[in-house]
Amino acid sequence: MKNVSKVIAFSLISMIIALVIDLVMFHQMGTNLLSEEVLWRAGLIVVLWIVVTALAALRMRFCGYVTILVMLYYAAADFGGFITVSPKSSAYGLSIEVLSILGIIISVVGIWYGIQQRRQYDVDRINNRGSANGNQRK
């Protein structure tokens, strides 16, 4: 259960960073933040987090894979902000770059917990199979 709370926490932080960077990049390009394109993308980022949270809480078989894919998506959004922020040498640009790097690192940690999530599912499944057959481990 400890890993579930870590998955939820790191995915939440990663989602917030990816959302902020995405909104900043849309604003930098001059796109209205209430436009359909921006709202759809922001909604997708939030819905992906909800899916990760729900699957982690339910401990579904493929929850680790979904966590890994969503964290990769968030890391890609952060990397996109890192390479497209302009001007890079301003305080604004540097803060977005630092936030992007932080988001990438947090996404990598989220990927690690996604791998642990899958491993724990397999361990629990093996232990349950052993106890169902009368082979109790000590």
Side-chain angles (χ1 to χ4, degrees):
M1 194 65 173
K2 203 164 51 169
N3 192 53
V4 172
S5 59
K6 290 178 182 177
V7 166
I8 293 170
F10 279 98
S11 64
L12 175 64
I13 295 167
S14 186
M15 182 268 301
I16 291 170
I17 291 172
L19 187 60
V20 166
I21 289 175
D22 218 37
L23 291 175
V24 168
M25 291 302 101
F26 275 119
H27 178 69
Q28 178 180 305
M29 293 186 320
T31 306
N32 182 3
L33 295 182
L34 295 176
S35 70
E36 183 179 336
E37 178 184 9
V38 175
L39 294 177
W40 184 89
R41 179 89 178 246
L44 175 67
I45 290 172
V46 172
V47 167
L48 288 174
W49 176 76
I50 292 169
V51 169
V52 167
T53 301
L55 291 177
L58 294 173
R59 301 178 127 188
M60 303 279 299
R61 179 179 186 171
F62 53 89
C63 61
Y65 299 126
V66 172
T67 300
I68 292 166
L69 289 174
V70 170
M71 290 296 124
L72 285 171
Y73 178 77
Y74 290 160
D78 295 335
F79 183 70
F82 179 78
I83 62 173
T84 59
V85 68
S86 169
K88 291 184 181 290
S89 61
S90 68
Y92 160 79
L94 289 175
S95 63
I96 294 301
E97 287 181 336
V98 168
L99 188 62
S100 296
I101 291 170
L102 183 65
I104 291 169
I105 292 169
I106 290 172
S107 295
V108 169
V109 173
I111 290 169
W112 170 252
Y113 284 122
I115 292 168
Q116 294 301 313
Q117 198 176 21
R118 177 61 191 173
R119 187 188 67 74
Q120 187 61 45
Y121 177 83
D122 288 340
V123 168
D124 291 345
R125 188 170 169 208
I126 290 169
N127 288 341
N128 287 340
R129 186 179 297 162
S131 64
N133 293 334
N135 301 331
Q136 297 285 336
R137 291 189 176 196
K138 295 185 180 185

